[in-house]
Amino acid sequence: MYALWNTLGLDEPNMRWVLFGTAFLSAVSAWVGTFTYLQKKSLLGDAIAHGILPGVAGSFLLSGQKNAAYIMIGALVWGFLTVLAIEWITRKSHLKPSTAMAIVLSAFFGLGMMLLTQIQNSGLPDASGLQSFLFGQAASLLPSDILVYSIFALVALIVLLALYRSLTFVSFDKAGAQSMGFSPQTSGTVLSILVVIATAIGIQSIGLILMAALLITPAAIARMWSQRLWTMLMLAGGIAAVSAISGSLISFSGKSMPTGPWIVMVLFFIFGFSVLFSTHRGLVQRAFQKRKNRQIIQRENLLKALYHLREQKGEQAEFTFEEIQKKRMFSENDLQRILGMLKRKKWVLQGKNGWTLSGEGLNEGRRITRLHRLWELYLSQKMRLKEDHIHPIAESMEHIITEDLEAQLLHELDYPELDPHQKRIPYDTPAKS
Amino acid sequence: MTPAIDIHNLTASYERKPVLWEIDCQFPQGKLIGIVGPNGSGKTTLLKNIMGLMKPDSGYIRIFGEKLDKVRHRVSYVPQRETVDWDFPADVMDVVLMGRYNPKKLFGRISREDKDIAIEALSRVNMLEFANRHISQLSGGQQQRVFIARSLAQKADLYLMDEPFVGVDAASEDAILNLLTEMKNNGKTVVIVHHDLQTAYEYFDHIALLNTRLVASGAAEEVFTSDLLQEAYGGRLTVLSRIGELIAKKDFPIREKGQEEN
Amino acid sequence: MNIWVLIHAIIISLSCSLAGAFLVLRHRAMLADAISHAVLPGLVIAFLITGSRNTPGMLAGAIAFGFLCIFLVEFFKRKVKVTDDASIGITFTSLFAFGIILVSKYAEQVDLDQECVLHGEITFSALQRMHFPFTQWMVPNTFVTSVFTLLAVVLVLLAGYRGLFITSFHPEYASSIGISIGFWHYLSSGVASMVTIVSFEAVGAILVIALMVIPSATAWLISRRLPEMLWKTTMFAITGSVAGFYLAIWLNVSIAGTIAAVLGVQFAMVLILKGSFRHRSIH
């Protein structure tokens, strides 16, 4: 363990600085990104990240050295210019923001590339280090760099906390926010400024080309696990920090590996995991839900069939396989399986001559029959549907209606006794007269 | 006579939440028909289902007694104005000529005859002088008239229009209304989604009152009773909207397997 | 500097800008951004397998990743309800990151480096020459592919003009008369991916975006009809690449970067001029 610790260079205080520093910076970016995600402005981060290249290269060219403070200033200036240019285009023309972003992003980045080649031609001593701003090189971070970036990150964090309420409001309810006196205009500008800072602080560790991932992906992941903003922020921050640390560690272990791509790969891994397994919208969970629904439907259909048979043939009767199948089409296999399942649940009993409902099964069968007939009545009374049209949809709704919906139905229909086909609606206790 | 549109037990959802419940009605041929109801009552959804732009959860629709694909050339659809970007580089004539496109003719040439038809359609909506104007330089009413001209150029028998009177100036409204009456007199069927109760009664011969379910469908004077209007505009049925939310949340099928009708 | 490099740049700029026009008209400009990043892993993988660049294999690999990108964007949007732009952002950053890792991991085998991914190698590719079919001209290696790509783009544009027009302008109406929106959507994105891939090596990821989006957006500002917009698009693409090319040589800086910047300046100038002549403007 200690050997691993050593090989990763974690015994050096410098490395620890780097790791915790990038974790903190990434978390701040993800927090800002959560708000842009909710306001559906995710790609603004990408545009700004590309747009700041002239600032980074320019400050290097002017100062002749790779100094975090100068670079930060250059980045911020060009970040704001990017925002302004996008706004200018959308205000002056009919082009949509996404088009404006693509225009500014590529033109500014082109300008940045001109400056970069200029730097390479100039033969400045630090020139090769500039590569790290494109794809990120966390290992190249000095404690003093981290300090500079962290100061800006802190400023962003303070602004975020100070305006937490209005940003939240605008994110979730634009119209409401306006009526409460929060101007979407102002908070939009504030958010753009925050995105500029959030993008600029990450350029050395993750690189400006992939910076957008840190703003977008943690927020999208968090959204898949939670609906509440506070939880989302905690999750997004945590995910960003973890990805930053593990991405940096992986990149340290290989030679000349940039950090940014690895951080993005870790993020994507977590994203893919969430797509499959999230409790909220995960594919696996939804497949399970579908299977469960199918089982409930089959089970309830069988109970209902048995209940109907009992209505027709008397309480003592036991029913054979064939009788059940005649009442309702089940495939041989399905019927076997469902009967077995219900038997284990003790909802049906197997007698000498066939199957019959247990006390509990009877209640359940009665409940489903009741829901079916109630819904038919509801359709014909409240929705004016003709009697020959109501059966199919009642067939599926009977499985969905919950207890309190049933109560509401009963109340609205005033505890009826007969369904539209003049069949009795069965109650557990005698119906209210 | 076969009805122009025959809707059977149609249930349709938007993002898995049912917005139309078990709609079952018929629209006669040769009439001005209004689909009327409050906002969010599923009017546009119904039109999109008729046009095959959405797949229903259950039920089916016949047009002139046939499936849509067989009679598509006899049906014309006028979507809401907001469905296009009016800054698109096209002039009025470009848009009206689209009425002459069809999947088979996508690669052929636009003929002299097509152009004449487009010109005639434009003059019927009093827009001929604007033929070469860019579409962003039209008023709301003029944009709507361009859409209707495109629809006329299709030479269909059944026209479905989504809120053609919204954001339209008085002159355009009159022009459109006169045109609709003229179309009816020529034996065409026009179905119009309309949200304004004030005017619905005087505009339409046949009205379908909708509020996520069909409240009534029939001759205007039969449908425009205070009871029925109260029912359509008196709010949503809470049981219906609650069960709709449950269906969406739990991914429940609206029709059980093996139960689908054609 | 070699005239072929300039001609090559012009040809690439024509196919990119024409293919991009329909993305811009559909308000899907950022999809150009996404595709141009997403094809990188396809290029690298195909290169690792076939062992050479500029082969059909490389083209196939990149096209596969272009479509994978479009598919994933739709998938995350529909099935997992990620917002539209976030879905684009997640997909292309991940694919691009994967590509960069491959590039740095196999730097020795793959004749690509991080630098080339951004700047392209239009000048470098000019060093390797071949005969242009049926002629005596010695042209850069990748030149032939670029020419055929341009031909393909023009062909699709001419044959599919009406389908592209109607589905871009009014998808709902188009499908109401029985035209498949899906087909035309995938055709236009497919052409865009193909063009991206062919141009990527020569001009790099960023200039591809600039070429796809900026000339047509500039043309849109001052066009009344689609044909007019398309020919103005080609004009802006040509003037931008010629001016950018000579400026880059004069300043001795990145050609791709300079062309992108010049395209941006062109756009800004048109937008400003259009504003100051408002009474004569078209929109």
Side-chain angles (χ1 to χ4, degrees):
Chain A
M1 188 63 212
Y2 188 70
L4 179 71
W5 185 259
N6 258 341
T7 41
L8 291 175
L10 287 180
D11 50 336
E12 288 175 46
N14 191 15
M15 271 306 156
R16 265 174 273 163
W17 257 106
V18 166
L19 287 182
F20 292 123
T22 45
F24 171 66
L25 297 175
S26 306
V28 173
S29 302
W31 283 326
V32 174
T34 305
F35 287 98
T36 51
Y37 180 84
L38 289 173
Q39 298 191 14
K40 300 192 168 65
K41 286 182 181 166
S42 287
L43 286 175
L44 184 63
D46 187 46
I48 292 175
H50 284 78
I52 60 182
L53 182 61
V56 173
S59 65
F60 185 86
L61 209 55
L62 287 179
S63 68
Q65 51 175 319
K66 209 183 93 190
N67 178 314
Y70 295 149
I71 282 169
M72 201 58 201
I73 291 167
L76 290 177
V77 168
W78 278 85
F80 295 134
L81 282 178
T82 309
V83 174
L84 289 177
I86 293 169
E87 261 185 24
W88 179 67
I89 293 173
T90 40
R91 215 182 38 243
K92 283 274 176 184
S93 76
H94 57 77
L95 297 172
K96 295 275 182 300
S98 65
T99 313
M101 275 184 217
I103 293 170
V104 177
L105 169 165
S106 54
F108 278 20
F109 198 85
L111 181 63
M113 277 159 62
M114 291 169 70
L115 296 176
L116 273 189
T117 39
Q118 185 61 44
I119 291 169
Q120 273 158 359
N121 296 340
S122 70
L124 286 167
D126 262 349
S128 62
L130 271 183
Q131 191 77 30
S132 63
F133 288 99
L134 293 177
F135 298 107
Q137 197 64 265
S140 72
L141 280 166
L142 303 172
S144 60
D145 298 337
I146 294 175
L147 191 68
V148 172
Y149 296 133
S150 298
I151 288 171
F152 282 98
L154 267 178
V155 171
L157 199 56
I158 290 166
V159 174
L160 199 67
L161 286 175
L163 296 174
Y164 183 76
R165 254 167 58 80
S166 75
L167 282 173
T168 314
F169 231 129
V170 176
S171 305
F172 284 106
D173 177 11
K174 220 169 198 161
Q178 210 153 3
S179 67
M180 295 283 292
F182 296 113
S183 143
Q185 194 79 44
T186 325
S187 72
T189 316
V190 172
L191 191 63
S192 300
I193 295 172
L194 287 177
V195 176
V196 172
I197 300 176
T199 314
I201 56 176
I203 47 175
Q204 203 170 342
S205 46
I206 190 168
L208 43 83
I209 293 178
L210 292 170
M211 190 57 212
L214 212 44
L215 286 154
I216 302 170
T217 317
I221 297 170
R223 186 73 185 82
M224 271 189 259
W225 294 93
S226 169
Q227 311 246 41
R228 294 185 42 222
L229 181 63
W230 189 244
T231 333
M232 271 185 76
L233 287 170
M234 289 297 101
L235 273 173
I239 290 165
V242 167
S243 318
I245 291 180
S246 37
S248 308
L249 288 178
I250 297 172
S251 82
F252 294 165
S253 61
K255 61 177 164 63
S256 78
M257 270 291 178
T259 326
W262 281 111
I263 297 179
V264 176
M265 283 330 286
V266 176
L267 279 173
F268 187 67
F269 180 76
I270 303 175
F271 178 76
F273 178 84
S274 308
V275 166
L276 290 176
F277 300 111
S278 113
T279 45
H280 183 38
R281 287 161 179 168
L283 299 181
V284 171
Q285 189 261 350
R286 270 170 47 192
F288 265 115
Q289 180 78 52
K290 276 205 173 121
R291 216 178 88 110
K292 210 172 113 200
N293 288 346
R294 221 167 30 239
Q295 280 177 352
I296 290 177
I297 289 171
Q298 285 186 328
R299 185 181 78 204
E300 296 187 343
N301 283 343
L302 182 61
L303 288 169
K304 193 178 61 173
L306 285 170
Y307 186 85
H308 285 184
L309 283 169
R310 202 182 128 104
E311 267 186 336
Q312 292 162 359
K313 308 223 167 133
E315 294 185 6
Q316 301 309 319
E318 292 177 346
F319 309 107
T320 61
F321 232 74
E322 289 70 34
E323 275 179 298
I324 299 172
Q325 274 185 316
K326 225 165 121 189
K327 181 76 200 160
R328 190 183 178 100
M329 263 311 290
F330 288 103
S331 77
E332 195 93 5
N333 281 339
D334 277 351
L335 189 54
Q336 286 275 12
R337 193 171 45 79
I338 310 164
L339 276 172
M341 191 173 74
L342 288 176
K343 194 176 157 189
R344 277 195 300 283
K345 270 187 112 130
K346 298 225 164 47
W347 283 5
V348 298
L349 307 167
Q350 191 170 19
K352 277 196 298 289
N353 305 318
W355 301 85
T356 183
L357 287 167
S358 73
E360 256 177 289
L362 182 66
N363 280 339
E364 194 60 16
R366 186 188 298 127
R367 184 181 70 87
I368 293 144
T369 310
R370 180 170 66 239
L371 290 181
H372 182 96
R373 292 178 184 168
L374 275 175
W375 189 253
E376 287 193 336
L377 192 64
Y378 183 81
L379 291 181
S380 81
Q381 275 197 1
K382 302 281 170 174
M383 289 170 66
R384 301 168 185 279
L385 290 182
K386 282 172 255 152
E387 268 142 51
D388 50 337
H389 279 169
I390 51 187
H391 180 73
I393 190 143
E395 232 1 65
S396 38
M397 292 309 135
E398 69 196 19
H399 308 296
I400 300 169
I401 297 169
T402 54
E403 238 172 78
D404 48 333
L405 257 173
E406 183 190 345
Q408 194 177 349
L409 265 178
L410 281 172
H411 178 75
E412 284 190 18
L413 295 168
D414 199 18
Y415 303 89
E417 297 203 356
L418 294 177
D419 78 358
H421 306 290
Q422 305 309 316
K423 284 192 186 145
R424 185 158 291 282
I425 296 173
Y427 294 95
D428 293 340
T429 48
K432 198 184 88 175
S433 49
Chain B
M1 194 157 51
T2 45
I5 301 175
D6 191 354
I7 304 169
H8 283 267
N9 278 30
L10 183 89
T11 297
S13 330
Y14 184 71
E15 306 226 310
R16 294 210 39 80
K17 203 184 208 162
V19 283
L20 287 175
W21 288 94
E22 297 292 300
I23 307 295
D24 200 271
C25 64
Q26 284 149 10
F27 296 148
Q29 288 193 32
K31 292 264 160 46
L32 274 183
I33 297 152
I35 299 177
V36 180
N39 281 335
S41 58
K43 302 182 298 275
T44 300
T45 310
L46 182 59
L47 221 52
K48 284 186 173 172
N49 272 283
I50 297 173
M51 251 358 273
L53 302 176
M54 281 173 69
K55 229 173 108 48
D57 296 301
S58 73
Y60 60 92
I61 292 165
R62 291 288 174 271
I63 293 169
F64 300 122
E66 302 274 3
K67 285 192 175 177
L68 173 67
D69 275 330
K70 275 199 162 171
V71 288
R72 200 186 280 280
H73 59 282
R74 293 179 64 193
V75 190
S76 169
Y77 175 50
V78 184
Q80 286 180 21
R81 254 186 318 127
E82 298 85 78
T83 52
V84 302
D85 175 2
W86 288 95
D87 286 309
F88 199 92
D91 65 16
V92 169
M93 198 60 184
D94 286 330
V95 177
V96 179
L97 272 174
M98 266 181 213
R100 301 306 301 160
Y101 289 17
N102 66 51
K104 280 181 217 123
K105 238 170 86 175
L106 222 40
F107 305 102
R109 288 188 67 83
I110 292 276
S111 67
R112 185 68 242 170
E113 190 200 347
D114 291 329
K115 281 193 182 136
D116 291 341
I117 291 173
I119 287 171
E120 189 213 320
L122 267 179
S123 58
R124 282 181 72 189
V125 295
N126 292 330
M127 288 284 291
L128 195 52
E129 55 189 309
F130 297 100
N132 294 319
R133 187 172 281 203
H134 188 267
I135 50 173
S136 67
Q137 293 176 309
L138 303 173
S139 71
Q142 289 169 333
Q143 289 174 345
Q144 191 64 56
R145 281 193 270 166
V146 171
F147 265 12
I148 293 177
R150 175 176 70 181
S151 176
L152 289 173
Q154 279 181 270
K155 300 248 169 228
D157 296 315
L158 169 63
Y159 295 82
L160 304 166
M161 304 187 183
D162 199 347
E163 298 278 13
F165 297 110
V166 164
V168 158
D169 52 291
S172 290
E173 182 155 354
D174 283 346
I176 294 172
L177 206 59
N178 285 337
L179 182 72
L180 295 180
T181 319
E182 187 191 318
M183 287 162 77
K184 182 182 82 173
N185 294 338
N186 291 336
K188 311 282 186 190
T189 312
V190 189
V191 178
I192 288 172
V193 162
H194 194 71
H195 74 278
D196 182 19
L197 264 184
Q198 306 297 325
T199 46
Y201 183 72
E202 49 177 305
Y203 287 179
F204 306 121
D205 312 319
H206 184 109
I207 289 178
L209 263 183
L210 203 68
N211 189 351
T212 65
R213 78 258 183 216
L214 184 73
V215 176
S217 169
E221 56 276 12
E222 286 168 30
V223 171
F224 254 61
T225 66
S226 58
D227 279 0
L228 288 173
L229 288 177
Q230 169 62 28
E231 205 179 314
Y233 282 79
R236 218 62 64 73
L237 293 180
T238 48
V239 172
L240 268 194
S241 23
R242 281 181 64 195
I243 206 163
E245 271 155 32
L246 269 177
I247 290 172
K249 204 171 122 206
K250 293 202 171 168
D251 253 335
F252 248 103
I254 288 177
R255 272 291 187 277
E256 287 173 28
K257 261 236 175 74
Q259 226 198 322
E260 291 100 6
E261 310 129 272
N262 174 17
Chain C
M1 193 57 74
N2 195 302
I3 191 72
W4 285 113
V5 178
L6 177 60
I7 297 176
H8 195 182
I10 290 175
I11 286 172
I12 287 172
S13 71
L14 287 177
S15 29
C16 282
S17 58
L18 286 174
F22 286 92
L23 290 185
V24 171
L25 285 171
R26 285 157 195 255
H27 304 301
R28 305 293 283 154
M30 286 306 269
L31 204 60
D33 184 23
I35 297 172
S36 69
H37 285 84
V39 297
L40 179 62
L43 285 171
V44 184
I45 291 172
F47 187 84
L48 287 173
I49 294 172
T50 62
S52 68
R53 50 162 70 190
N54 214 352
T55 58
M58 206 143 164
L59 213 62
I63 288 177
F65 271 83
F67 273 101
L68 179 68
C69 170
I70 298 166
F71 169 78
L72 284 180
V73 168
E74 291 292 312
F75 180 82
F76 295 146
K77 219 162 73 183
R78 294 246 170 90
K79 294 283 171 186
V80 212
K81 304 263 181 272
V82 176
T83 60
D84 179 45
D85 54 350
S87 180
I88 291 179
I90 293 169
T91 309
F92 87 79
T93 50
S94 306
L95 288 173
F96 193 67
F98 180 52
I100 290 293
I101 289 172
L102 288 178
V103 168
S104 20
K105 191 127 196 142
Y106 299 101
E108 291 91 49
Q109 290 101 304
V110 184
D111 205 4
L112 275 167
D113 56 17
Q114 298 167 12
E115 196 105 326
C116 145
V117 166
L118 291 177
H119 295 260
E121 304 201 313
I122 195 158
T123 43
F124 177 73
S125 68
L127 298 177
Q128 297 159 314
R129 296 298 187 84
M130 63 182 283
H131 271 292
F132 193 87
F134 314 115
T135 64
Q136 293 298 310
W137 304 336
M138 293 296 285
V139 295
N141 237 337
T142 45
F143 186 85
V144 183
T145 332
S146 303
V147 171
F148 281 106
T149 311
L150 178 59
L151 284 180
V153 171
V154 172
L155 213 68
V156 170
L157 211 66
L158 289 178
Y161 175 80
R162 232 173 282 161
L164 288 167
F165 177 38
I166 193 171
T167 52
S168 305
F169 173 64
H170 207 172
E172 251 156 336
Y173 177 76
S175 74
S176 87
I177 60 172
I179 293 171
S180 156
I181 305 180
F183 169 78
W184 292 98
H185 169 68
Y186 275 98
L187 182 74
S188 61
S189 334
V191 170
S193 334
M194 190 187 73
V195 168
T196 306
I197 290 143
V198 173
S199 321
F200 188 94
E201 249 196 293
V203 297
I206 300 301
L207 182 54
V208 170
I209 308 169
L211 282 172
M212 289 233 243
V213 178
I214 305 182
S216 52
T218 316
W220 193 354
L221 295 177
I222 48 169
S223 301
R224 294 164 39 94
R225 300 186 60 227
L226 186 54
E228 183 187 352
M229 173 175 151
L230 290 177
W231 74 255
K232 283 183 182 164
T233 298
T234 61
M235 293 314 298
F236 285 124
I238 293 173
T239 52
S241 30
V242 173
F245 180 81
Y246 283 110
L247 186 64
I249 288 170
W250 183 55
L251 294 172
N252 189 23
V253 289
S254 154
I255 294 178
T258 314
I259 295 178
V262 168
L263 288 172
V265 172
Q266 257 183 189
F267 174 85
M269 274 162 49
V270 171
L271 188 52
I272 291 168
L273 288 178
K274 188 196 152 208
S276 52
F277 292 105
R278 187 158 281 284
H279 56 286
R280 260 195 276 158
S281 80
I282 290 151
H283 278 299

